[in-house]
């Protein structure tokens, strides 16, 4: 994927067929390219991620992808960060309320609304077994998931959750996402989430509010 960069025009870029394409502004354009990269990987795996594939998906020239990210590794890392931050925001894993009823309240809707975000992350996790250089950025970004889960569990429980309990709860959430991504059945995701919340209540979550 060592493709030469094309210097983008100030206001527009040229398509391979010679037609003019409107250049995206930096903020919206970067996000659009990240979303395009996610879709490319979700459909064809990491091996399909090239400047040209992302550019075609986004409707721009490959030089614009180079302009924003500079290297394939930088594009992968930025796309991974994009998926993690979006997932944290839409899943409500860290609602901030400390109420079990709010814990991961948007999980099934998140998977249904944008399954490519989750598929991208699982593709990178599996690929990291073959390409160890992918593991450090994966660990860094997954630490954000772990930290968010730890903070919310600490709000919910009368005593701070142990790291092992946090990992157990997160593994349950991660497994539910994977199962819905592959098998569908969002109603089963919701039912399992309610069981998880019930178990957390058994550990003392919401005990002060109930009292």
């Amino acid at each position: 994927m060592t493709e030469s960069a094309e210097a983008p025009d100030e206001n527009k870029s040229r398509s391979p067929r010679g037609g003019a394409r409107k250049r995206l502004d930096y903020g919206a354009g970067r996000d659009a390219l990240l979303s395009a990269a996610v879709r490319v990987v979700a459909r064809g795996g990491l091996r399909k991620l090239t400047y040209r594939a992302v550019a075609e998906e986004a409707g721009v020239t490959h030089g614009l992808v180079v302009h924003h990210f500079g290297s394939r590794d930088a594009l992968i890392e930025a796309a991974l960060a994009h998926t993690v931050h979006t997932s944290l925001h839409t899943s409500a894993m860290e609602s901030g309320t400390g109420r079990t009823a709010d814990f991961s309240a948007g999980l099934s809707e998140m998977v249904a609304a944008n399954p490519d975000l989750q598929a991208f992350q699982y593709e990178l996790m599996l690929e990291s077994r073959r390409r160890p250089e992918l593991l450090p950025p994966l660990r860094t970004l997954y630490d954000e998931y772990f930290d968010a889960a730890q903070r919310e569990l600490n709000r919910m429980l009368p005593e701070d959750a142990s790291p092992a309990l946090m990992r157990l709860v997160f593994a349950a959430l991660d497994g539910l996402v994977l199962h819905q991504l592959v098998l569908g059945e969002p109603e089963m995701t919701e039912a399992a989430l309610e069981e998880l919340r019930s178990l957390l209540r058994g550990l003392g979550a919401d005990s002060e509010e109930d009292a």
Side-chain angles (χ1 to χ4, degrees):
M1 186 180 162
T2 54
E3 302 174 15
S4 60
E6 300 171 4
D9 186 87
E10 185 64 26
N11 296 310
K12 62 183 180 180
S13 58
R14 305 292 296 181
S15 74
R17 296 182 178 86
R21 288 192 179 120
K22 182 180 179 182
R23 179 182 174 183
L24 303 170
D25 65 73
Y26 185 83
R30 189 175 189 276
D31 286 346
L33 293 175
L34 292 175
S35 296
V38 166
R39 293 193 298 273
V40 168
V41 173
R43 285 199 305 264
L46 195 61
R47 68 186 185 281
K48 296 293 185 180
L49 186 68
T50 66
Y51 291 142
R52 293 190 184 279
V54 173
E56 182 178 352
E57 181 70 25
V60 298
T61 63
H62 80 278
L64 191 59
V65 185
V66 180
H67 172 70
H68 279 288
F69 301 103
S71 72
R72 184 173 185 264
D73 287 344
L75 174 60
I76 292 171
E77 190 165 347
L80 178 60
H82 171 71
T83 63
V84 171
H85 297 157
T86 302
S87 296
L88 280 171
H89 177 71
T90 56
S91 70
M93 181 167 67
E94 187 178 11
S95 66
T97 68
R99 297 179 64 248
T100 55
D102 299 331
F103 184 57
S104 296
L107 192 73
S108 62
E109 291 87 348
M110 174 193 72
V111 180
N114 202 335
D116 287 351
L117 286 175
Q118 312 313 315
F120 177 89
Q121 292 176 60
Y122 291 125
E123 284 284 348
L124 259 65
M125 291 178 72
L126 292 173
E127 187 66 23
S128 70
R129 301 190 69 231
R130 296 180 286 271
R131 296 181 52 192
E133 68 272 15
L134 292 173
L135 194 55
L138 270 170
R139 284 189 180 277
T140 297
L141 271 298
Y142 262 74
D143 280 344
E144 293 197 36
Y145 280 138
F146 299 150
D147 290 345
Q150 184 76 58
R151 288 191 298 268
E152 193 61 18
L153 288 171
N154 289 348
R155 293 185 187 102
M156 293 162 58
L157 298 174
E159 297 182 3
D160 286 354
S162 68
L165 176 60
M166 177 276 293
R167 285 293 187 105
L168 177 62
V169 171
F170 180 78
L173 298 175
D174 204 28
L176 290 174
V177 169
L178 179 58
H179 287 183
Q180 184 175 331
L181 183 67
V182 176
L183 303 175
E185 302 177 341
E187 67 284 354
M188 185 58 68
T189 301
E190 290 297 331
L193 276 173
E194 190 48 49
E195 287 293 331
L196 177 59
R197 295 180 189 117
S198 179
L199 291 173
L200 291 172
R201 293 186 190 101
L203 295 175
D206 290 348
S207 58
E208 292 184 8
E209 179 180 314
D210 293 341

